[in-house]
Amino acid sequence: MKKRIAILGSTGSIGTQTLEVISEQPEHFEAEVLTAQNHWELLVQQAIRYNPNAVVIGNEAYYKNVSEALKPHDIKVFAGSKALNEVVEMHTVDMVLTAIVGSAGLLPTIHAIKANKPIALANKETLVVAGELISTLTLEHEVPVLPVDSEHSAIFQCLCGEYTNPIEKLILTSSGGPFRGKKIAELQHITKREALKHPTWTMGQKITIDSATLMNKGLEVIEAKWLFDVNFDQIEVVVHPQSIIHSAVQFTDGSIKAQLGLPDMKLPIQYAMAYPERLSTHYPRFDFAQIGQLTFEKPDVSTFRNLQLAYDAGRKGGNAPCVLNAANEIAVQAFLQDKIGFLQMSNLIENCLKSIPFEKNITLEILTETDIETRKFAEKQLK
Ligand code: NAD
Ligand code: MG
């Protein structure tokens, strides 16, 4: 039986690579639902090629365009963010791959878990904002969350067969981004063109900027905490510019297991979709002798302050990671619109963390309110 996948955010970087995996493994997977926010033309092209049961266009202004274009096809068309929550519950969906960017991925993920759908999780912001809630829900519904993020996929693979063996430490690798080695003074006038050039990965704009500021690694630290049930002292970040070792686990006997491979998101995407199987691929292989050496260094958290801010917010808990995430989403957007400079992003996030009231015990309502309040506050700071 083919696994029927709902891809939330099928027009993005992870979404399109997920469709490539489906094309490569047609006997294993098929696209059951495709969704996009604005990019309706691509959504239509994908729908015609992959013939899903349903599509959702988030921005209702494009509903007519999509439904007109798909009229000759037997594909259901829905619009609006509420429709996302409904399509994931369809009985024909076997797995939900969450490739939406930002906290917009949270609600559809909650609906999918409540409908007992296994989750292939790319949308790390979901666990940053609501890690505790999501962990409780997945336990309650016995729903597996299979990481798509390459570092977390690596850790997950290292933990296979280790069952009850305690983890001493998770070692998250980071490429260091395009500005590795630069100091504060050199980062003053970074342009968005420079920041959008990632040395080893091609990704959506938001995560590319997050990688340049090291916020991506900060979000991944919080993601790892919830996925693998460790505390923040057990998560270490190591800069590894070649992005070959995707991450590692150190056990209490001192032994370290790592997962390696060429940087290609199709591998962790496919692993999450096929787990516990490994499916054969023809992708290029990593060659040790050809690369010669792999290097490692400590992250520079005094220059790239976002990583430290994320650790601090994670340790504080409550609604602090939600504030961090919302402030960062606004900061990245403002940077991409040339409203603030590269270094000001950290200032804005820090300011939000200091100003938004702290809530220790959280509910979905509190998180929703925190998200709205933080965005409002951050927008005001930009004026
Ligand atoms: P992207 O910007 O390329 O794509 C985002 C997708 O989400 C698009 O299909 C878009 O239409 C949709 N979308 C955007 N805003 C939405 C909204 N408000 N409501 C509903 N849909 C919306 O992003 P990406 O790089 O593919 O990243 C997606 C997620 O995966 C992010 O959380 C990112 O951190 C994570 N991730 C990405 C990579 C990567 O290599 N790109 C690697 C690891 C993790
Ligand atoms: Mg990653």
Side-chain angles (χ1 to χ4, degrees):
M1 274 268 282
K2 289 185 195 180
K3 210 177 258 181
R4 294 160 296 182
I5 317 281
I7 308 173
L8 306 184
S10 64
T11 54
S13 161
I14 292 292
T16 51
Q17 293 180 84
T18 303
L19 286 171
E20 283 177 45
V21 170
I22 292 178
S23 299
E24 295 275 342
Q25 309 284 358
E27 66 285 15
H28 292 281
F29 309 115
E30 61 187 327
E32 181 66 11
V33 174
L34 301 177
T35 86
Q37 183 63 12
N38 290 308
H39 207 164
W40 71 269
E41 292 101 329
L42 181 56
L43 180 67
V44 164
Q45 276 175 32
Q46 292 179 336
I48 292 171
R49 167 142 184 223
Y50 291 92
N51 193 31
N53 185 352
V55 299
V56 178
I57 182 74
N59 186 338
E60 295 176 36
Y62 299 123
Y63 173 72
K64 247 193 152 168
N65 304 51
V66 178
S67 56
E68 286 289 319
L70 293 181
K71 217 176 222 161
H73 303 268
D74 184 22
I75 299 171
K76 300 181 192 85
V77 180
F78 304 104
S81 54
K82 281 210 180 108
L84 287 176
N85 303 339
E86 286 158 18
V87 286
V88 296
E89 296 172 351
M90 289 186 346
H91 73 278
T92 50
V93 168
D94 297 319
M95 172 176 254
V96 177
L97 189 137
T98 66
I100 287 176
V101 59
S103 61
L106 175 61
L107 278 184
T109 308
I110 290 179
H111 279 261
I113 297 169
K114 286 186 172 167
N116 299 314
K117 307 293 184 188
I119 308 290
L121 185 98
N123 177 250
K124 63 191 83 183
E125 293 90 344
T126 286
L127 282 183
V128 172
V129 171
E132 199 175 340
L133 283 183
I134 295 286
S135 303
T136 311
L137 262 188
T138 51
L139 277 178
E140 206 178 297
H141 290 266
E142 294 179 28
V143 163
V145 177
L146 299 147
V148 167
D149 215 344
S150 56
E151 295 76 2
H152 306 73
S153 174
I155 292 168
F156 186 72
Q157 293 179 53
C158 294
L159 290 173
C160 280
E162 298 293 345
Y163 305 109
T164 54
N165 290 334
I167 296 168
E168 187 163 87
K169 188 163 83 175
L170 301 179
I171 301 156
L172 281 183
T173 54
S174 157
S175 72
F179 310 127
R180 181 176 60 90
K182 291 209 187 306
K183 292 290 166 205
I184 293 270
E186 299 168 272
L187 294 176
Q188 206 83 37
H189 303 293
I190 289 294
T191 63
K192 69 179 176 206
R193 256 193 65 211
E194 294 167 294
L196 283 170
K197 266 196 227 131
H198 195 276
T200 47
W201 298 97
T202 311
M203 311 176 284
Q205 286 203 335
K206 192 241 173 197
I207 183 174
T208 305
I209 300 302
D210 284 347
S211 300
T213 63
L214 293 203
M215 180 54 96
N216 183 50
K217 212 47 55 181
L219 300 179
E220 291 184 354
V221 166
I222 302 174
E223 182 186 13
K225 186 238 155 19
W226 294 112
L227 279 173
F228 306 113
D229 192 22
V230 291
N231 59 51
F232 286 97
D233 297 335
Q234 288 171 287
I235 308 173
E236 181 183 318
V237 172
V238 173
V239 174
H240 164 47
Q242 298 84 17
S243 301
I244 295 297
I245 297 188
H246 297 309
S247 278
V249 180
Q250 183 173 311
F251 295 93
T252 47
D253 60 355
S255 184
I256 296 176
K257 272 168 87 175
Q259 188 263 340
L260 286 73
L262 291 174
D264 179 350
M265 285 308 295
K266 291 199 291 302
L267 296 179
I269 291 170
Q270 175 176 301
Y271 188 77
M273 280 166 42
Y275 177 81
E277 256 185 277
R278 283 190 189 272
L279 306 178
S280 301
T281 71
H282 305 290
Y283 306 143
R285 271 32 177 176
F286 171 65
D287 180 337
F288 279 89
Q290 195 186 357
I291 198 154
Q293 60 175 356
L294 299 175
T295 59
F296 307 92
E297 57 198 71
K298 273 197 159 157
D300 174 2
V301 287
S302 59
T303 304
F304 298 94
R305 293 171 55 227
N306 283 358
L307 178 55
Q308 191 60 50
L309 290 173
Y311 262 106
D312 295 345
R315 284 197 169 96
K316 191 165 177 192
N319 65 344
C322 175
V323 173
L324 174 94
N325 179 72
N328 182 56
E329 287 192 30
I330 297 297
V332 170
Q333 197 182 45
F335 175 70
L336 287 171
Q337 294 168 346
D338 298 315
K339 287 184 186 161
I340 56 173
F342 187 80
L343 295 170
Q344 283 172 284
M345 285 191 274
S346 304
N347 301 345
L348 183 64
I349 297 161
E350 190 172 36
N351 209 349
C352 289
L353 283 164
K354 280 189 186 144
S355 311
I356 301 295
F358 178 63
E359 298 279 352
K360 181 87 194 126
N361 300 313
I362 44 111
T363 59
L364 184 58
E365 291 67 37
I366 290 176
L367 292 177
T368 310
E369 208 167 290
T370 300
D371 183 81
I372 295 171
E373 283 310 308
T374 307
R375 285 167 198 268
K376 261 196 219 152
F377 179 82
E379 296 277 10
K380 222 189 262 164
Q381 302 288 299
L382 291 170
K383 286 195 178 129

